[in-house]
Amino acid sequence: MSLEVIILAAGKGTRMCSDRPKVLHQLAGKPMLVHAINQAQMLQPICTHVIVGHGADEVESVVKPLGARCVTQVEQLGTGHAVAQAMPQVNNNAIVLVLYGDVPLVPAALMQQLVLQATQGDLAILTVTLDDAAGYGRIVRNSKGHIQAIVEHKDANAEQLQIKEINTGILAAKASLLNGWLPRIKSNNAQGEIYLTDIVAMAVADDIGISHLQPDFPQQTQGVNDRLQLAQLERWYQQQQANQLLRDGVQLADPTRFDLRGELYAGKDIYIDINVIMEGQVYLGDSVHIGPNCHIKDAHIGAGTQILANSVIDQAQVAEHCSIGPFARLRPGTIMHDNSKVGNFVETKKTTLGKGSKANHFTYLGDATVGENVNIGAGTITCNYDGVNKFKTNIANGAFIGSNSSIVAPVNIGAGATVGAGSTITKDIPDDNLAIARGKQRNLASWAKPVKT
Ligand code: UD1
Ligand code: CA
């Protein structure tokens, strides 16, 4: 049986106090709605329908590239009404999985179990037992323990308010069943809304089996209504990721001070000190050592490389046994070959450093190709930009650039060439030459020191 997913995401999210639609607020670097879509897509549905309303255009621009389709719910008349908006596009023979765009951490495996139960003909609902059930729809059972109905908090009587098992909102059922139930839902309730939850009592009346599942952790079905809940869910998610990395053999100095906003592919015997943030796709080879306060994004770091404190790495490829930082900044397009070194207050952009080459202190290398075993002295600047265009610098193998040199691109520095400290290089230097381009020193013996007047 084919699967279609309907994700409710039309609500305003007033309590976020934000101009951005709630479902686009990020958890671990990714919009909450995208978490839900990514997990749902692991089940390979034939279609994912996202019900949009508030901020529809913004939501659509995020959802469309993922292959989901948006259905606009002009007025938010309730969760039952929201699901009904998508049903005309849903195949009557399909299984429908209903998710919420503001419940980001439902695992695909749990969704799969609900779908399986729906395939067997049941209305499958996801419930959770909470210490504080305030605000949620309560799961009402009869004396035999069979689910009879879901009663919303605002409609519940004193006895029902004592119930701790609540509706997460996530459910699955055959489209044919939903098509029978949805048009019959009335809005004669405390909120005057078309409650999706009313289908539970309808299923009971129709003698349709109701199966229920619970998550392993309540956070997996936790919805986000405000920024406090989002921050709490973020911390839980980060803790889960950190625990998994520790189990996989990555040493985190403190799992509560590590943030991963994306994917980390890690080898063995890696050490990560405190306050490290990783984003996007990060690959770390065996025995990589990362000092405190580093920010690493979309980077490949080869085995045995040391990244010292307070370094920032963005879209860089670093080979093996390199050394970076402290206080280094590798910008997009940086390639470091084996055993190369970028030291403190060095910035690189679109630059290749050959094997064994070093830029140890206070340097800017932009649009530069540096060969092997080159020494870049402290304070070297590649002047790659004339205010309009960018130009390239080539520094061949074994060159030595003296400190405080300005290298005005485009320029080629030959193999084994030496640049005298303090030079401003504007012309190519042949192999093995010494280039000095600085004012000559004069010592004036006749000079008299100024005297205070
Ligand atoms: C809903 C459930 C409640 C459950 C709770 C879990 C109903 C009637 N109640 O209540 O049993 O315990 O979720 O969090 O279903 N939405 C739309 N269009 C609408 C209304 C809502 O897209 O017309 C979306 C919202 O953006 C949100 C989700 O549906 O993502 C849930 O809506 P919300 O108003 O938060 O439902 P609750 O009242 O919390
Ligand atoms: Ca809610």
Side-chain angles (χ1 to χ4, degrees), residues 308-379:
L308 304 177
N310 303 301
S311 294
V312 177
I313 298 177
D314 182 8
Q315 296 171 58
Q317 298 276 333
V318 178
E320 299 186 0
H321 303 289
C322 294
S323 175
I324 297 165
F327 298 98
R329 181 177 182 206
L330 308 190
R331 292 171 55 199
T334 297
I335 299 172
M336 290 178 68
H337 288 284
D338 290 349
N339 300 301
S340 58
K341 211 174 157 188
V342 163
N344 43 213
F345 308 104
V346 174
E347 173 184 348
T348 61
K349 196 214 71 184
K350 283 192 186 159
T351 283
T352 299
L353 261 188
K355 280 185 188 165
S357 288
K358 296 183 177 108
N360 276 338
H361 338 263
F362 307 101
T363 283
Y364 172 63
L365 296 172
D367 301 298
T369 303
V370 178
E372 296 179 7
N373 299 311
V374 170
N375 190 87
I376 308 273

Side-chain angles (χ1 to χ4, degrees), residues 396-415:
N397 295 345
F400 181 97
I401 313 297
S403 296
N404 199 30
S405 295
S406 301
I407 300 176
V408 183
V411 72
N412 298 297
I413 297 177

